[in-house]
Amino acid sequence: MKTLYRFAGSASPGPPARYLPMPFCVILFFLGPWLVGPAYGQPIAYHFQGKVLSTHTNESLPGASVQLKGTRQGTTTDAEGAFTLSAADSRVTLRVSFIGYHTLDTLLQLPLTRELLLTLKPDEAMLEEVTVSTGYWESTKRLSTGNISKVTAETIEKQPVSNVLSALIGRMPGVNIRQTTGIPGGSLSLQIRGRNSLRSNGNNPLIVIDGVPFDLESMDQLGGQLYSSGSNPLEGLNPSDIASVEVLKDADATAIYGSRGGNGVILITTKRGTREKIKSEVNLSQGFGRISGKVSLLDTPQYLEMRREAFQNDHAEPQPYDYDINGTWDQNRYTDWQKVLLGGTALTSRGQLSVYGGTGHTNFRISGGVYRETSVFPGDFSYLKKSVQANMNHQSENGKLQLSFSASYLSDLNRQSREDLTRHALILPPNAPALFTPEGTLNWEGTTWQNPLSYIVRKYRAESDYLVSAGTASFQVSPRLKFKTNLGFTTTQITQFTGTPISYYNPAYAVQTGIAQFADGSRRTWLAEPQAEYGFALRDSRFSALVGATFQQNTSHSRSLQGSGYIHDMLLENLQAASVVTVYADNYNVYRTQGFYARLNYNLYERYVLNLTARSDGSSRFGPGKRYARFGAIGAAWIFSEEPWAKGMLAFIDHGKIRASYGITGSDQIGDYGYLETYVATATYNGDKGLAPSRLANPDYAWEINRKMEVALEARLFKGVIDLGASWYGNRSSSQLVGYPLSLVTGFPSIQYNLPATVSNTGLEFELGIQEPGQKKFKWEVRLNLALPRSKLLRYPNLDGSPDANRYEVGKSLNITKKYRYTGLDPEEGIFTFQDIDGGGLRYPNDLQAIKSVEQRFLGGLQHTIVVWGLELEGFWQYVGQSGFNYLYGPFSMAGAYGNQPSEVMGRWQQPGDLSRFPRFSQDRTLGNPAYNQFSNAQSYGDNVIGNTSFLRLKNLSLSYSLPKGRYPKTRLYVQGQNLLTFSRHWALDPEQAFVQNLPSLKTLLLGLQLTL
């Protein structure tokens, strides 16, 4: 047995030393022997070895920093916590540090006759410190100069969601995620700190999964109203396999990504193995989902009253085709179509099996999962996902060589309805016929209506396969120099089919034939990133740097076909059975980008931090001479709580930091080959194939430029009881990449162009956390975040003469709409009235004088957690202050015409002198009818369609109980709820969705069991 010198850790100023990156390749080449060699070139006289342990767990601390204080000489501990070091002097001070532990300074008298045993004491404040990553380097939240928000697996796993982005809604300030439909596999809207581009498709953030970029662009070609899984590629990730999601917002955090990070970056990291004995984990759950509420609609007596009054007001009689009112349909029949078409229960089943563990040198994790969700629509619809995730990490015995590999594969099958029945459920008359005949077939009621179930007879199937794989190899040449290479490959494939069978058509019509559409697409991305990292400490200064390069290629292919003339429904999925086959699209694109980057970080006294980042990017989406652009950022932080004067004067502040950043990023989010002339195949006069020009060339457009600035304050008070943060940001995006419109005589609608317009996004973001410190049996925590975003169009030359003249206004938000100014309801005629500027009657666009904002004024979330013994209760409220479109003018027609209405319309105008919000009933939908004309004006151009759509929602509620340890296997029982309560003055199915056209987010309840063996 070895004899040991034991040195116990004690508090020492400042966090542990970190040996991070540096970019001087040429210097390293010429001066490498001096840099890597012993300090100051002195001969090595003494050798000693030791081991670093934790006083808390008595376990080894691999990766701890061991340094001869005052020199550049040091090392890190291996997987067993051991190290070997040499010194030239007989009397040295050894500094040992590790993240989350107090730094230990020990005076040694060399030579030693025994091995050192060094124990570090945990720093409770630092153990609670969040570690954040930019994807290229890691730091603690304490020392970070950038704005990075983080959500961990602990939060994600408490939410019954199939898409990891759904678990982030409301939890990060400045991150706006909206669920646009409640259909399984449906799409999400995602923006980080507002719109930077005038193009609707130019604001997507960069998604990075385990270091590999993942394309967020939809591959859906046939989904229609479904918003299928193909339109939401992140459905290809299993939330149960996610370890953390980090959102990079400001220039300091995103500039290292150059053009790819112009709209922010989302880093998704999958779970890893652990250095412990092999364990297995089983997670099973069953859930139930329903729509959260219904719109109050007219019942049959009210509906018939409305219709009869409408005919009376128009001095008209019901026509033979007015089946709802002329006696053809049963006047006493009532159907609650919301209950029939939307009132089903969506069942959710989830199963997950994980095995993980390892030794000091190698660890692994393998998991497999199955997820299935049905629909609230009538019919046998389902969405099925199957996933496998594997990860392995290995390091050599001396800790210098490190290898890691991860792969995530998911396959999904979407058999949802191709048609969203929400609109049908709202507008169908309450006395419409029954869905089925007594014989059980679809009821057409003598061709008097289009049976809504005929829409779900149309078949739809989408199959998608996703693979994300990443590998990393790094070699520690010396304690200061490390080389690293990241490799990645992703592939996404989707095949889609939709068929319109003969049974879709009313059999009373002429004989029909079936139609089928087929589509397939694939996207592949490969990535290679070599890097060199260098870092050293010089007395109270620490330098770290990084240089590297990025090489990336995306290849995509898509094709869509249609077959028609099918004579039998059983043949629909066979393209050869079609009498006519038409090719609609066959596209092949290649996108390449390369970049070279460098980062320099300087830390003085653990309280002054400076971070410099630079990158040069090249993109194949620009013409020769315009392909390269340079970006960069500077970030700085002052940890004022570490100042000597603050130790006494501001003793209640455990950690206080002021940080600021400024930088320039770019964007190339446009289509491929826009700088070239392109052609499409066409038929000539005599039927032969030919080519026709489809796009004009413009090799002169270049990158969008996004300038970002931020100032922030972060603090922890009263021994960790209060955490708070506040930040102000200002972004300006210029050289907008838009399609410049051309005259029709050119034969082309537009040409790619750099519009000299400037967009500004500014805002304030706040975070507050309060928790009960030092309690093991009881935990209480509240966390709140709030964002106040503002956008503005600062500059747009010749806006009045452009096609955007009626969309934007210089000095106003991008999210405005220009409308007629509503002046009330005419008490004599009972119709809407609007301001006529010149007295010549309402004219578009001359009278568009009302500028209304349709945007979010504030958004955020409030989380409350209570833990008592093994019982944990967590609730999360989402709140949004916004203005949007009033649902009364969405799916509904003019009150009095065919189709149901909200029950509010019964408070309508009925006679001269009435003061009402709703116009008189009318069934005449001809342009000669003033009531219809004004309703059309209101629906399309009136500012009275804009209203307050703010809401407060109990987004998530989680209750779990962990059985006492020792008596049972580690067992956790849990109940989770999603979208349980919504409070809003907007009486739609979902205030988050304009015009109530889509199925709202479902209210979900889930029961689960988690076992760890």
Side-chain angles (χ1 to χ4, degrees):
M1 178 181 295
K2 293 183 179 180
T3 305
L4 302 175
Y5 285 112
R6 176 179 289 272
F7 292 90
S10 59
S12 178
R18 294 293 305 267
Y19 292 99
L20 299 174
M22 172 115 226
F24 302 126
C25 290
V26 175
I27 296 175
L28 292 175
F29 180 82
F30 289 104
L31 303 182
W34 179 82
L35 293 172
V36 179
Y40 306 112
Q42 296 177 357
I44 297 176
Y46 304 101
H47 305 274
F48 59 96
Q49 61 186 9
K51 193 171 185 179
V52 180
L53 303 177
S54 167
T55 59
H56 181 64
T57 62
N58 205 35
E59 295 180 352
S60 61
L61 294 177
S65 171
V66 183
Q67 180 189 0
L68 296 181
K69 190 175 180 180
T71 74
R72 295 189 305 272
Q73 189 173 352
T75 187
T76 56
T77 58
D78 62 17
E80 304 300 328
F83 69 91
T84 300
L85 201 57
S86 302
D89 297 330
S90 61
R91 188 177 177 87
V92 296
T93 299
L94 192 67
R95 169 165 285 186
V96 185
S97 56
F98 190 72
I99 292 179
Y101 289 79
H102 289 291
T103 299
L104 171 66
D105 285 342
T106 302
L107 180 64
L108 300 180
Q109 183 66 48
L110 303 177
L112 300 177
T113 58
R114 289 174 288 178
E115 183 182 59
L116 289 171
L117 183 61
L118 306 167
T119 57
L120 299 186
K121 183 180 179 181
D123 184 336
E124 298 298 334
M126 292 182 62
L127 282 175
E128 295 175 1
E129 185 67 60
V130 176
T131 301
V132 294
S133 171
T134 67
Y136 290 92
W137 68 84
E138 288 188 352
S139 175
T140 62
K141 190 78 171 177
R142 178 188 298 260
L143 294 175
S144 173
T145 55
N147 191 323
I148 304 175
S149 295
K150 184 174 183 178
V151 170
T152 62
E154 183 182 6
T155 299
I156 297 171
E157 291 171 350
K158 293 176 183 177
Q159 303 179 66
V161 296
S162 64
N163 189 308
V164 65
L165 290 184
S166 297
L168 309 183
I169 295 176
R171 294 181 180 269
M172 297 179 173
V175 181
N176 184 10
I177 303 174
R178 285 194 312 112
Q179 191 164 338
T180 58
T181 176
I183 294 178
S187 62
L188 291 149
S189 169
L190 171 62
Q191 282 185 3
I192 298 176
R193 289 184 167 176
R195 289 176 57 188
N196 295 314
S197 176
L198 295 177
R199 291 170 292 110
S200 59
N201 61 346
N203 296 283
N204 288 335
L206 173 68
I207 306 292
V208 179
I209 302 173
D210 286 340
V212 184
F214 191 80
D215 202 327
L216 199 59
E217 184 180 352
S218 168
M219 295 182 65
D220 171 54
Q221 299 181 72
L222 304 179
Q225 293 187 40
L226 174 65
Y227 300 101
S228 70
S229 59
S231 67
N232 189 359
L234 279 179
E235 282 289 342
L237 282 178
N238 184 350
S240 299
D241 291 329
I242 305 301
S244 67
V245 179
E246 291 164 289
V247 177
L248 285 54
K249 306 175 191 175
D250 72 326
D252 179 75
T254 61
I256 193 73
Y257 290 92
S259 62
R260 302 178 301 168
N263 295 315
V265 181
I266 297 179
L267 302 181
I268 300 175
T269 304
T270 57
K271 292 180 178 178
R272 301 289 193 263
T274 58
R275 291 190 178 101
E276 56 184 337
K277 66 178 183 180
I278 296 177
K279 294 182 179 180
S280 59
E281 183 179 289
V282 179
N283 199 335
L284 304 173
S285 63
Q286 179 70 46
F288 314 87
R290 300 178 65 90
I291 60 172
S292 56
K294 297 192 298 182
V295 176
S296 177
L297 300 175
L298 302 179
D299 58 22
T300 300
Q302 291 173 318
Y303 177 79
L304 295 178
E305 179 185 351
M306 176 191 73
R307 291 282 280 153
R308 292 181 182 124
E309 185 175 318
F311 279 101
Q312 182 179 352
N313 289 342
D314 295 338
H315 306 289
E317 294 294 331
Q319 299 300 307
Y321 50 77
D322 293 316
Y323 308 113
D324 58 335
I325 193 68
N326 65 9
T328 303
W329 292 356
D330 187 348
Q331 304 294 288
N332 296 315
R333 180 180 178 80
Y334 170 73
T335 302
D336 182 351
W337 290 111
Q338 293 180 89
K339 180 179 179 180
V340 172
L341 299 181
L342 309 179
T345 299
L347 302 179
T348 301
S349 302
R350 188 195 308 264
Q352 179 90 6
L353 173 62
S354 304
V355 179
Y356 56 89
T359 64
H361 299 294
T362 304
N363 61 73
F364 71 95
R365 182 181 185 273
I366 301 175
S367 71
V370 178
Y371 175 89
R372 185 177 186 272
E373 184 176 357
T374 62
S375 174
V376 297
F377 299 145
D380 184 18
F381 302 114
S382 65
Y383 175 58
L384 176 66
K385 296 201 302 186
K386 293 175 285 187
S387 64
V388 176
Q389 194 265 347
N391 176 276
M392 186 183 71
N393 300 278
H394 174 77
Q395 68 175 10
S396 59
E397 291 189 7
N398 60 11
K400 292 185 176 182
L401 177 64
Q402 295 185 346
L403 303 173
S404 68
F405 173 78
S406 65
S408 300
Y409 171 76
L410 185 141
S411 176
D412 71 8
L413 174 60
N414 198 328
R415 292 183 177 272
Q416 292 290 336
S417 166
R418 190 178 184 274
E419 184 87 5
D420 189 331
L421 298 180
T422 304
R423 183 175 183 273
H424 303 283
L426 296 175
I427 66 172
L428 275 175
N431 66 331
L435 294 173
F436 298 99
T437 65
E439 291 77 24
T441 60
L442 289 182
N443 177 28
W444 298 99
E445 198 71 13
T447 72
T448 61
W449 76 322
Q450 180 70 33
N451 192 315
L453 291 192
S454 65
Y455 294 103
I456 64 176
V457 170
R458 302 173 72 185
K459 299 180 180 179
Y460 178 82
R461 184 185 70 251
E463 296 182 73
S464 305
D465 295 280
Y466 308 87
L467 173 66
V468 180
S469 57
T472 300
S474 66
F475 184 75
Q476 192 81 40
V477 179
S478 76
R480 294 170 294 281
L481 178 63
K482 181 170 74 172
F483 291 106
K484 181 180 179 182
T485 298
N486 297 326
L487 301 174
F489 176 77
T490 71
T491 179
T492 302
Q493 295 183 330
I494 180 173
T495 59
Q496 293 175 283
F497 162 79
T498 181
T500 304
I502 299 173
S503 57
Y504 166 78
Y505 301 100
N506 191 324
Y509 293 155
V511 176
Q512 302 287 339
T513 57
I515 299 174
Q517 293 176 298
F518 303 84
D520 60 79
S522 64
R523 183 186 294 131
R524 297 188 302 275
T525 299
W526 64 261
L527 173 82
E529 286 191 318
Q531 301 175 8
E533 301 179 8
Y534 180 78
F536 68 94
L538 183 61
R539 297 189 182 277
D540 295 311
S541 296
R542 298 183 185 181
F543 297 87
S544 60
L546 166 72
V547 290
T550 299
F551 304 96
Q552 179 183 337
Q553 175 175 299
N554 294 7
T555 305
S556 60
H557 178 223
S558 61
R559 177 178 54 189
S560 62
L561 309 154
Q562 176 174 295
S564 57
Y566 287 94
I567 60 174
H568 197 284
D569 291 348
M570 296 294 291
L571 301 174
L572 276 180
E573 298 190 36
N574 186 351
L575 187 60
Q576 292 180 329
S579 59
V580 177
V581 176
T582 305
V583 179
Y584 282 112
D586 195 348
N587 302 313
Y588 180 83
N589 288 6
V590 177
Y591 164 56
R592 296 187 180 94
T593 182
Q594 66 179 25
F596 302 92
Y597 52 86
R599 180 244 185 179
L600 172 65
N601 182 269
Y602 174 63
N603 183 330
L604 177 63
Y605 299 127
E606 298 296 332
R607 56 181 181 266
Y608 308 112
V609 185
L610 180 67
N611 196 60
L612 302 175
T613 310
R615 182 169 178 124
S616 175
D617 263 342
S619 171
S620 64
R621 288 174 173 166
F622 300 101
K626 301 290 184 179
R627 288 183 174 168
Y628 286 89
R630 294 178 178 87
F631 310 100
I634 178 171
W638 173 37
I639 306 176
F640 61 85
S641 58
E642 294 299 320
E643 295 286 356
W645 56 265
K647 299 293 185 179
M649 186 181 302
L650 302 176
F652 64 94
I653 300 180
D654 310 324
H655 168 70
K657 179 175 71 174
I658 296 175
R659 58 175 175 82
S661 66
Y662 176 80
I664 300 175
T665 59
S667 175
D668 65 347
Q669 288 191 17
I670 54 175
D672 297 310
Y673 315 121
Y675 62 92
L676 296 173
E677 284 186 345
T678 56
Y679 296 82
V680 294
T682 184
T684 61
Y685 177 75
N686 60 5
D688 295 332
K689 294 293 183 181
L691 292 176
S694 60
R695 179 167 52 196
L696 291 176
N698 177 18
D700 296 325
Y701 63 83
W703 302 74
E704 278 186 358
I705 302 298
N706 194 356
R707 293 173 172 85
K708 299 183 177 183
M709 179 183 293
E710 178 164 342
V711 179
L713 168 68
E714 299 174 5
R716 172 175 289 182
L717 313 176
F718 306 114
K719 304 299 182 182
V721 174
I722 297 177
D723 279 316
L724 59 86
S727 60
W728 172 90
Y729 66 88
N731 301 341
R732 289 195 177 186
S733 181
S734 56
S735 298
Q736 294 284 325
L737 283 169
V738 297
Y740 187 78
L742 300 175
S743 171
L744 293 178
V745 298
T746 64
F748 298 90
S750 64
I751 186 172
Q752 194 68 59
Y753 176 73
N754 280 111
L755 181 69
T758 303
V759 173
S760 169
N761 276 293
T762 61
L764 293 171
E765 296 175 357
F766 302 95
E767 293 182 274
L768 174 65
I770 304 174
Q771 60 183 348
E772 180 73 19
Q775 297 291 333
K776 295 183 178 181
K777 303 297 184 181
F778 173 79
K779 177 184 177 182
W780 173 80
E781 182 180 14
V782 174
R783 294 204 168 270
L784 177 145
N785 74 82
L786 173 67
L788 305 171
R790 296 292 182 268
S791 72
K792 184 184 295 186
L793 180 62
L794 296 181
R795 181 171 178 264
Y796 195 132
N798 193 29
L799 174 60
D800 291 339
S802 75
D804 290 327
N806 298 318
R807 295 179 58 193
Y808 303 119
E809 185 88 5
V810 173
K812 301 291 184 180
S813 168
L814 289 183
N815 304 305
I816 63 168
T817 179
K818 293 188 176 182
K819 298 290 186 180
Y820 296 147
R821 180 169 284 111
Y822 177 63
T823 55
L825 194 72
D826 185 339
E828 297 301 317
E829 296 187 43
I831 61 176
F832 291 131
T833 61
F834 301 91
Q835 185 177 7
D836 181 0
I837 302 300
D838 56 10
L842 284 180
R843 289 181 299 172
Y844 179 90
N846 304 49
D847 292 315
L848 297 179
Q849 299 299 316
I851 298 177
K852 291 288 186 176
S853 173
V854 186
E855 63 181 350
Q856 295 177 333
R857 301 182 300 276
F858 64 85
L859 65 157
L862 173 65
Q863 176 182 313
H864 193 183
T865 305
I866 299 176
V867 180
V868 181
W869 298 94
L871 189 66
E872 179 178 355
L873 175 65
E874 179 178 300
F876 180 78
W877 291 88
Q878 176 196 9
Y879 45 86
V880 176
Q882 63 182 5
S883 54
F885 293 93
N886 192 316
Y887 81 101
L888 291 171
Y889 304 95
F892 302 105
S893 181
M894 179 176 60
Y898 175 90
N900 209 345
Q901 294 283 330
S903 57
E904 301 164 77
V905 301
M906 296 305 289
R908 75 288 188 189
W909 179 96
Q910 290 183 283
Q911 60 186 358
D914 282 354
L915 298 178
S916 174
R917 177 186 171 193
F918 300 97
R920 67 183 178 90
F921 292 152
S922 175
Q923 52 79 45
D924 182 4
R925 289 186 287 189
T926 62
L927 294 180
N929 179 15
Y932 179 69
N933 290 343
Q934 295 298 75
F935 175 81
S936 297
N937 286 332
Q939 191 174 45
S940 302
Y941 307 115
D943 68 346
N944 54 324
V945 306
I946 309 298
N948 185 352
T949 58
S950 303
F951 65 90
L952 173 66
R953 172 174 289 166
L954 181 56
K955 189 66 179 177
N956 178 248
L957 186 66
S958 172
L959 176 64
S960 65
Y961 177 70
S962 298
L963 271 62
K965 297 180 181 179
R967 297 178 59 186
Y968 312 97
K970 188 176 180 181
T971 304
R972 187 172 72 95
L973 305 171
Y974 59 89
V975 180
Q976 298 172 356
Q978 196 84 351
N979 303 318
L980 298 179
L981 294 171
T982 301
F983 302 96
S984 175
R985 295 176 59 187
H986 187 67
W987 294 346
L989 288 173
D990 192 340
E992 204 168 14
Q993 300 175 16
F995 287 112
V996 209
Q997 298 283 5
N998 305 327
L999 183 70
S1001 303
L1002 300 184
K1003 178 192 297 184
T1004 304
L1005 184 67
L1006 181 140
L1007 308 176
L1009 168 67
Q1010 182 177 354
L1011 294 173
T1012 302
L1013 307 173

